[in-house]
Amino acid sequence: SLYRAFGSKEGLVEAWLEAEAAALWAGLEAAAAAHPDDARARLMAWLAVLLARPAAGCALTRTALEHADPKHAARKTARTHKG
């Protein structure tokens, strides 16, 4: 099964969250690099990256909200990236 490849359902969710966070940060870093000397253009590029994300909201925030137990592995992963 799919879970077997990740050790568990939680392992699959953690891997997905890590990939989501990596994609978001890569997009933000690329946007910043494209406009190193223009703060307004950099901000607009960051907003474009954020607005291009799925309309359902931030996967990290949704996961943190859905898993109230602070010891839950998915919540820990989400909090790691949300700060």
Side-chain angles (χ1 to χ4, degrees), residues 6-79:
F6 295 93
S8 66
K9 179 180 179 180
E10 287 77 18
L12 172 61
V13 171
E14 285 180 71
W16 174 68
L17 288 172
E18 291 289 348
E20 282 289 307
L24 174 60
W25 285 113
L28 293 173
E29 289 170 0
H35 305 284
D37 300 320
D38 186 343
R40 184 181 187 284
R42 188 170 48 248
L43 176 60
M44 296 305 290
W46 281 341
L47 290 173
V49 169
L50 294 172
L51 292 173
R53 308 293 292 167
C58 175
L60 298 167
T61 299
R62 287 192 334 263
T63 299
L65 291 172
E66 290 174 14
H67 297 284
D69 180 2
K71 295 180 184 174
H72 192 283
R75 183 178 175 99
K76 286 182 181 180
T77 301
R79 293 292 302 156

